[in-house]
Amino acid sequence: MKKIFLSTRNNKVPIVIGNGVISSKLLSTYIKSKNVVVVTNETVGRIYLKEIKNCLKNFNTKTLEIKDGEKHKNLSIFTKIHDYLINNRFDRDLTIIALGGGVIGDLVGFVASTFMRGVKLIHLPTTLLAQVDSSIGGKTAVNHPSGKNLIGTFYQPDSVIIDTKFLLTLPEQEYVSGLAEVVKYGLISKPSLLKWMNKNSEKILSKDKDCLTYIVLTSVKEKIRFVSQDERESNVRAFLNYGHTLGHAIEAAMNYRNILHGEAISIGMLFASMLSVEKNMLNINDFNLIEDTLEKLNLPTDIPKRIKTRDIIKHIKFDKKKQDNRNRFVLLGTLGNCVINDKLKDDFLGKMIEHYRS
Ligand code: NAD
Ligand code: GLY
């Protein structure tokens, strides 16, 4: 079992990582209230809620299950969770445990940050994406009909407990999609991780226990490095968006259906890597290593045929409205070093996307 800390200006968040670490003793160490509410979804609840409740016998514990899916990460469910807390007369002596993937973590984190102006929060992330990315760093959110994650807060949890054994029940496609975020750390800051993943792809795909601990621990350490320098994303935290400009545009062009976030990011990362070569920064051998690693991990690299290049540009432009009307791409200066380029014109991007698709 490893314990590391995310230190920000106002918080020092313990993060525990290991295989089979969840226990009554461990949870009791981190819970500092009499009352506990575990919020999860019906899928994760069916598999893990009984076990987690058994670990919480020392507390006045209640559980709440919501429906599964990104479409439930909205203000209506946010209000329903508040209603539940209010109807059960909870006060500030409360720890909310978010048991689930990024959807539960974002939604429940937002509830914890707002109920009674903020109560204690523990993340128990159960997807690879949540373990290596969304549970670390304090971003909470719900979606608005106009777009994803438009409403939310920055709110650091009191602790994050990452048990890699949860990943054994995660559907294959969700697991592989989460690997894209792990590859991302290899590209933006830790080339040795990328090389290791390239050599160990089969073991990674088989969810080898030691591999899981290595990729999760290494990713969390990288994420901590970015967040501790820039909690509110005014500079280096933006590098975590590598591959996201095109990735988000692909997700939006597909109405967030038939493609998982990590799959879209995988395509976006290879495209950003191609742009980095085009701009004479990344060398071609490193580009080939990136492409080979994504393919060995069964991650997609082709832009889906059903979406048109002009729709992708339209969504990139919608995104850029939020960013001084510029197309903002994170590129690689070299493998492991990012630069922001906000000077790419729509015409050039259109040509590059066509070139990438050919
Ligand atoms: P998710 O939470 O929808 O989980 C994916 C699926 O796996 C769901 O059906 C879920 O029920 C199921 N599942 C979860 N754990 C399981 C397990 N152990 N065994 C079996 N099934 C399991 O998706 P996700 O990819 O974890 O998260 C995506 C969300 O994360 C998005 O809403 C995105 O905006 C958000 N996100 C937030 C941040 C952040 O910094 N806060 C970063 C990245 C992504
Ligand atoms: N997932 C990007 C961030 O946490 O900043």
Side-chain angles (χ1 to χ4, degrees):
M1 181 165 86
K2 300 273 181 212
K3 182 169 160 187
I4 49 182
F5 291 91
L6 164 63
S7 296
T8 61
R9 187 187 297 197
N10 298 317
N11 299 87
K12 190 172 178 196
V13 183
I15 301 165
V16 176
I17 301 170
N19 188 279
V21 289
I22 300 268
S23 68
S24 172
K25 188 168 165 228
L26 186 76
L27 288 174
S28 299
T29 311
Y30 289 105
I31 296 172
K32 307 276 185 244
S33 62
K34 181 170 85 240
N35 300 313
V36 175
V37 173
V38 183
V39 186
T40 188
N41 72 28
E42 56 203 2
T43 309
V44 178
R46 196 164 26 222
I47 314 175
Y48 294 111
L49 203 47
K50 194 170 164 208
E51 176 189 343
I52 300 301
K53 266 168 78 179
N54 277 338
C55 293
L56 294 168
K57 285 191 172 140
N58 297 338
F59 302 91
N60 173 31
T61 303
K62 286 201 181 297
T63 60
L64 178 62
E65 280 183 49
I66 63 167
K67 291 213 170 79
D68 189 358
E70 179 75 34
K71 69 172 186 230
H72 302 292
K73 194 177 116 176
N74 60 35
L75 277 178
S76 157
I77 303 293
F78 167 84
T79 304
K80 281 197 173 136
I81 302 174
H82 275 280
D83 291 345
Y84 174 87
L85 298 174
I86 291 164
N87 292 340
N88 281 280
R89 300 180 181 282
F90 285 110
D91 56 18
R92 302 201 79 250
D93 183 25
L94 172 66
T95 300
I96 304 186
I97 297 184
L99 171 69
V103 167
I104 285 289
D106 278 13
L107 171 68
V108 175
F110 187 33
V111 170
S113 73
T114 46
F115 182 67
M116 302 274 165
R117 299 198 178 91
V119 293
K120 294 175 191 67
L121 168 69
I122 296 180
H123 281 302
L124 296 190
T126 61
T127 62
L128 183 59
L129 178 133
Q131 298 196 344
V132 301
D133 188 0
S134 62
S135 68
I136 315 291
K139 281 186 182 175
T140 83
V142 293
N143 303 325
H144 182 272
S146 306
K148 271 192 76 178
N149 297 330
L150 294 186
I151 305 164
T153 51
F154 282 97
Y155 191 68
Q156 294 299 342
D158 292 85
S159 57
V160 183
I161 299 176
I162 301 178
D163 195 328
T164 55
K165 85 167 185 201
F166 288 138
L167 302 179
L168 299 182
T169 56
L170 190 63
E172 180 70 16
Q173 198 187 352
E174 294 286 349
Y175 174 67
V176 168
S177 175
L179 287 173
E181 300 288 354
V182 182
V183 171
K184 182 185 79 183
Y185 297 114
L187 306 195
I188 65 172
S189 59
K190 186 96 179 154
S192 61
L193 173 64
L194 178 70
K195 288 171 192 155
W196 187 89
M197 291 182 87
N198 187 279
K199 286 209 183 81
N200 292 280
S201 56
E202 282 179 18
K203 266 165 91 180
I204 295 169
L205 288 174
S206 73
K207 298 185 182 172
D208 172 90
K209 203 164 129 181
D210 293 335
C211 271
L212 290 181
T213 309
Y214 174 71
I215 60 177
V216 173
L217 179 63
T218 310
S219 300
V220 170
K221 282 183 181 165
E222 291 309 304
K223 177 128 192 197
I224 284 176
R225 276 201 321 116
F226 287 99
V227 176
S228 58
Q229 289 173 69
D230 176 24
E231 190 180 11
R232 296 287 171 125
E233 199 172 313
S234 34
N235 46 72
V236 294
R237 187 166 179 171
F239 294 165
L240 294 168
N241 296 330
Y242 190 73
H244 284 55
T245 308
L246 184 76
H248 279 159
I250 292 174
E251 284 183 284
M254 294 186 68
N255 285 321
Y256 301 94
R257 283 192 217 113
N258 301 316
I259 191 155
L260 297 178
H261 177 70
E263 294 171 337
I265 297 314
S266 171
I267 301 164
M269 289 196 297
L270 196 67
F271 178 71
S273 304
M274 188 200 77
L275 287 179
S276 307
V277 174
E278 188 68 27
K279 292 283 167 194
N280 295 320
M281 297 187 295
L282 187 69
N283 75 54
I284 192 72
N285 292 337
D286 288 337
F287 175 87
N288 290 337
L289 174 69
I290 295 166
E291 184 173 35
D292 190 48
T293 309
L294 294 170
E295 284 173 358
K296 277 183 171 169
L297 294 169
N298 298 335
L299 280 158
T301 52
D302 290 339
I303 297 172
K305 289 202 173 51
R306 73 179 83 168
I307 46 176
K308 297 193 173 71
T309 298
R310 68 164 181 272
D311 286 335
I312 299 174
I313 297 287
K314 188 180 85 188
H315 285 286
I316 291 177
K317 283 169 78 148
F318 174 76
D319 213 38
K320 86 180 183 186
K321 286 206 185 102
K322 290 182 246 156
Q323 316 253 4
D324 307 334
N325 215 26
R326 289 167 189 264
N327 296 316
R328 199 174 153 84
F329 273 79
V330 184
L331 299 182
L332 293 175
T334 55
L335 191 61
N337 292 292
C338 294
V339 288
I340 302 278
N341 186 320
D342 60 5
K343 297 193 170 50
L344 305 177
K345 299 277 180 272
D346 295 351
D347 281 359
F348 171 79
L349 279 178
K351 281 193 193 116
M352 284 293 113
I353 292 172
E354 284 301 316
H355 175 58
Y356 182 81
R357 301 184 92 160
S358 63

